[in-house]
Amino acid sequence: MWVSWLMMLLSLWPVAASTARSDAKPGCQEKCGNVSVPYPFGILEKSCAMNDDFFLNCTSNDEGHPELLFGRNMRISNIELEGTVTVGIYAAFSCYNKTGIQTDFYSLWMTLAAPFMLSNTRNIFTAIGCDTSARVTNSEFTYGATCLSICTENVEMSDANPCSGSGCCQTSIPKGLKSLNYSLSTYDSYTKVSDFNLCGFAFLADRRSLKISDWPLSLTPKYGKDAYATDVVIEWVVENKTCDLAKVNTSAYACGTNAYCTYPEIDQGYRCSCNEGFEGNPYLEDGCQDKDECKVEGKKPCQEGTCENTIGNYKCRCPIGKYGDGKIGCKRVGIITIISGSAGDIYETG
């Protein structure tokens, strides 16, 4: 008997597995290692991406594990259909010995392709050190800033305290940046603080994941796969057009069925989102599927009554003896009671 049940379950397994929704283009690999790669991005075959800008390199690292790269060496840890890619970018540093001679130095240049730009809302530029001047510019030299961090005694790097210029300094970046260069300089070559601080660091980092406590003043550089890198959020759009212009060329328009065009605050192009009542990947032709609001975990869709899913919406049917919209609440049905046979003796009670 149990053998028959087992055979039935095994026969159902491929059906159950095939019903899982994929955000990759049909026939294309969805993951590189443990990182999901949703369309318009693609890996392995160029036809799996919307265009060359969204074709990513899934390769093997030195340990033989799959690794998803953005550009030549920026490791991707997450891709969001809302328009972000999180990558790891190395920190710049400058180090000196106790006599004031420079021992280590690394600065960073980075340039992004057309549909990508650095997120000004998620990222913050940060400098660490007690004798540290960190400069950040873009390649066109239309933006520049300097972050100065000075201290005369050891400062404990704490996530609870803001970077106010003593051991740590922070400054924002403007909207729409596609390139950055950051480097460091020093005033006294760390000779006055050499007992507790010999290196300065500078980096861009996601505000949500940055922990200042990970950057004590005693920190010194590491190299290779152990080099210090921070999570940096890159925003992306489909192409640099307004929604109205994009819709004119229907063959190139990126939004699928049950999806609409959005124009993000970065003012650099458009994105796609599923219509209300639908969910999934808006860049796939049939990627936005009806959302069953009656089965949303942890949510009670109806104030009262029974939930009934509809395409793109849902209803809340009031229980027997009540009427109205169960989404906001039901009312009792009035009952007409005849007290006597004369019309004047008819009363309505609730």
Side-chain angles (χ1 to χ4, degrees):
M1 182 74 170
W2 65 270
V3 175
S4 299
W5 277 104
L6 180 61
M7 292 301 292
M8 186 179 75
L9 288 172
L10 289 174
S11 67
L12 289 174
W13 170 253
V15 176
S18 65
T19 59
R21 183 181 299 167
S22 172
D23 284 329
K25 189 176 180 179
C28 294
Q29 187 166 316
E30 186 179 9
K31 283 193 170 186
C32 178
N34 61 355
V35 181
S36 296
V37 185
Y39 187 78
F41 295 90
I43 54 176
L44 303 183
E45 299 288 340
K46 286 198 172 184
S47 60
C48 290
M50 179 175 290
N51 54 48
D52 288 350
D53 291 328
F54 291 95
F55 182 64
L56 302 175
N57 183 17
C58 182
T59 185
S60 295
N61 59 22
D62 294 339
E63 287 77 30
H65 302 303
E67 189 174 60
L68 188 62
L69 297 181
F70 186 89
R72 292 184 178 180
N73 59 0
M74 291 184 281
R75 182 180 56 82
I76 297 175
S77 58
N78 188 46
I79 301 175
E80 294 289 345
L81 284 171
E82 287 74 18
T84 63
V85 177
T86 303
V87 302
I89 297 180
Y90 295 122
F93 55 82
S94 180
C95 296
Y96 292 77
N97 62 21
K98 290 194 174 186
T99 62
I101 298 174
Q102 190 175 52
T103 57
D104 290 287
F105 179 81
Y106 176 74
S107 61
L108 185 134
W109 278 96
M110 64 172 297
T111 302
L112 302 175
F116 302 98
M117 63 224 72
L118 294 159
S119 174
N120 66 301
T121 57
R122 291 281 299 274
N123 299 315
I124 187 83
F125 182 71
T126 303
I128 302 289
C130 278
D131 188 8
T132 304
S133 176
R135 188 184 77 160
V136 54
T137 64
N138 64 343
S139 58
E140 298 83 9
F141 289 101
T142 57
Y143 157 74
T146 298
C147 211
L148 181 62
S149 179
I150 298 292
C151 43
T152 57
E153 58 184 11
N154 195 14
V155 178
E156 182 180 353
M157 297 291 105
S158 169
D159 300 316
N161 298 326
C163 289
S164 57
S166 179
C168 176
C169 171
Q170 288 183 324
T171 186
S172 60
I173 62 170
K175 180 170 59 177
L177 278 183
K178 296 180 181 296
S179 62
L180 270 190
N181 167 38
Y182 39 93
S183 58
L184 296 107
S185 59
T186 175
Y187 293 96
D188 294 308
S189 302
Y190 293 86
T191 53
K192 295 182 179 180
V193 293
S194 61
D195 288 343
F196 53 88
N197 180 219
L198 291 170
C199 298
F201 290 86
F203 48 82
L204 196 66
D206 182 5
R207 301 169 187 263
R208 298 180 186 178
S209 61
L210 174 61
K211 292 184 177 180
I212 295 299
S213 57
D214 291 338
W215 298 86
L217 294 176
S218 59
L219 200 67
T220 55
K222 292 183 179 180
Y223 299 91
K225 63 183 180 62
D226 297 322
Y228 298 117
T230 55
D231 287 339
V232 175
V233 178
I234 294 172
E235 295 198 50
W236 56 271
V237 293
V238 181
E239 58 179 335
N240 191 13
K241 289 183 178 180
T242 64
C243 290
D244 289 339
L245 286 176
K247 291 174 183 177
V248 172
N249 186 358
T250 56
S251 62
Y253 183 54
C255 303
T257 306
N258 297 318
Y260 65 97
C261 180
T262 63
Y263 198 52
E265 293 182 1
I266 51 178
D267 300 333
Q268 297 289 323
Y270 77 94
R271 296 176 184 149
C272 302
S273 297
C274 289
N275 292 340
E276 188 174 356
F278 294 83
E279 60 185 355
N281 187 337
Y283 299 96
L284 292 172
E285 180 58 34
D286 297 310
C288 292
Q289 299 292 315
D290 174 56
K291 176 169 64 178
D292 190 344
E293 290 88 352
C294 300
K295 296 181 179 179
V296 177
E297 188 175 348
K299 236 181 163 184
K300 186 180 178 183
C302 299
Q303 286 285 352
E304 195 173 355
T306 303
C307 184
E308 179 183 325
N309 187 58
T310 61
I311 301 300
N313 209 331
Y314 69 100
K315 298 177 181 178
C316 295
R317 295 190 177 278
C318 292
I320 296 174
K322 291 187 177 183
Y323 72 97
D325 185 356
K327 291 181 180 179
I328 57 177
C330 300
K331 299 178 181 178
R332 288 187 176 276
V333 176
I335 302 174
I336 297 177
T337 305
I338 299 176
I339 304 302
S340 68
S342 63
D345 293 327
I346 297 177
Y347 299 90
E348 180 177 343
T349 62

